[in-house]
Amino acid sequence: MGNQTSSEIEYLARALKAPRIRDSAIRLADQAREASWSHEEYLAAVLSREVSAREASGAEIRIRAAGFPARKSLEDFSFDHQPSLRRDTIAHLATGAFLAEAKNVVLLGPPGTGKTHLAIGLGIKAAHAGHRVLFATAVDWVARLQTAHQQGRLALELVKLRRYGLIVVDEVGYIPFEQDAANLFFQLVSSRYEHASLILTSNLAFARWGDVFGDQIVAAAMIDRIVHHADVLTLKGASYRLQNTGIETLPSVRAQNAAQ
């Protein structure tokens, strides 16, 4: 590739705000000549590199903006620790088809069984697929909504959140909510119903959500909207964090088993 042509490509790449095109064009030029690519094949290859780079860059921006507490991939999830969890179910969720249908995913089970790991992994897959994602604990979501309510912009905040293809609500049930907080959380669920997806994790079965939200009617209405279009997965067993500690299980798990 001559200097004049290279300079012209560099100028055009800057004008298009696609600086990687110049590098791809130079790297692929010799390969194209040796393989006798057509002009169309060469152009497609160069543009393909640019699109792939942009998608990767965009995904990284969305992942950082999501607020994940850590990066957890589905590929690193230990299915050996959860033998009852079907790999094909998680693989299907990883395609993001549930997002296109505004469906939810609910992950139930004792602490330490991988619920948050799966929620983050699915969130990262969604970000790679081009969806905007937000992650926070249930307590943090309520605090955010309380602030918006106090400032008189709750309706605007709910509209803003509906622009996110996926919201992850972690640790539902770890801390009980007062009535006002429960009502705000219900509004978040209701505003996304059949419009955009939620992933929720909880250490409690649905039958005990009334205790968390302090109102059986509100809890029932909330669960109804969540599970109407949802995949509900139950994780079992002891916490993986307790492996090799000599502790068989957590008090909360023993209490739940006794209640059952």
Side-chain angles (χ1 to χ4, degrees):
M1 184 180 294
N3 291 334
Q4 183 176 353
T5 302
S6 178
S7 298
E8 186 175 1
I9 290 175
E10 183 174 1
Y11 165 74
L12 294 172
R14 286 200 308 269
L16 291 171
K17 296 183 179 179
R20 290 176 290 255
I21 282 182
R22 175 184 177 275
D23 294 335
S24 296
I26 293 173
R27 286 200 305 270
L28 292 172
D30 290 338
Q31 183 179 350
R33 279 189 289 268
E34 291 173 3
S36 299
W37 290 357
S38 67
H39 298 307
E40 292 83 359
E41 289 172 331
Y42 175 56
L43 177 60
V46 171
L47 295 179
S48 176
R49 301 296 194 281
E50 175 63 22
V51 170
S52 297
R54 286 194 179 193
E55 288 179 346
S57 177
E60 181 62 27
I61 291 172
R62 288 188 291 274
I63 290 169
R64 290 180 181 178
F68 296 119
R71 295 207 182 190
K72 303 283 187 178
S73 71
L74 295 180
E75 290 75 15
D76 290 336
F77 184 78
S78 176
F79 284 92
D80 292 338
H81 192 69
Q82 284 295 329
S84 63
L85 191 63
R86 293 174 59 92
R87 292 174 184 262
D88 58 347
T89 299
I90 300 302
H92 178 67
L93 292 173
T95 66
F98 73 98
L99 296 166
E101 301 172 5
K103 293 178 62 176
N104 303 318
V105 178
V106 184
L107 301 163
L108 303 176
T113 49
K115 302 183 301 296
T116 300
H117 185 142
L118 288 173
I120 293 173
L122 289 172
I124 288 177
K125 289 290 187 183
H128 277 289
H131 298 278
R132 298 173 70 198
V133 183
L134 279 179
F135 179 104
T137 65
V139 171
D140 287 339
W141 278 118
V142 167
R144 177 171 179 161
L145 296 175
Q146 285 176 328
T147 298
H149 180 62
Q150 292 165 1
Q151 295 175 353
R153 54 177 183 83
L154 177 60
L156 292 175
E157 183 70 7
L158 292 173
V159 170
K160 174 184 175 182
L161 292 175
R162 271 176 54 177
R163 298 191 186 108
Y164 286 81
L166 176 62
I167 280 180
V168 182
V169 183
D170 197 28
E171 299 181 351
V172 176
Y174 282 77
I175 299 177
F177 292 131
E178 296 180 356
Q179 185 68 53
D180 290 343
N183 289 335
L184 288 171
F185 193 81
F186 172 77
Q187 290 190 59
L188 174 64
V189 170
S190 183
S191 71
R192 297 183 67 79
Y193 175 61
E194 297 188 331
H195 289 287
S197 297
L198 287 165
I199 293 179
L200 302 99
T201 76
S202 178
N203 63 317
L204 299 178
F206 286 129
R208 297 180 59 190
W209 279 31
D211 299 331
V212 175
F213 294 101
D215 189 315
Q216 297 293 339
I217 295 176
V218 170
M222 188 182 310
I223 293 168
D224 181 67
R225 286 163 175 77
I226 291 171
V227 304
H228 183 209
H229 307 292
D231 289 289
V232 180
L233 309 180
T234 300
L235 284 72
K236 302 176 181 179
S239 170
Y240 71 89
R241 302 186 190 97
L242 299 184
Q243 290 180 339
N244 304 318
T245 64
I247 302 174
E248 293 183 359
T249 189
L250 296 169
S252 60
V253 179
R254 290 197 294 270
Q256 185 172 351
N257 292 338
Q260 293 173 348

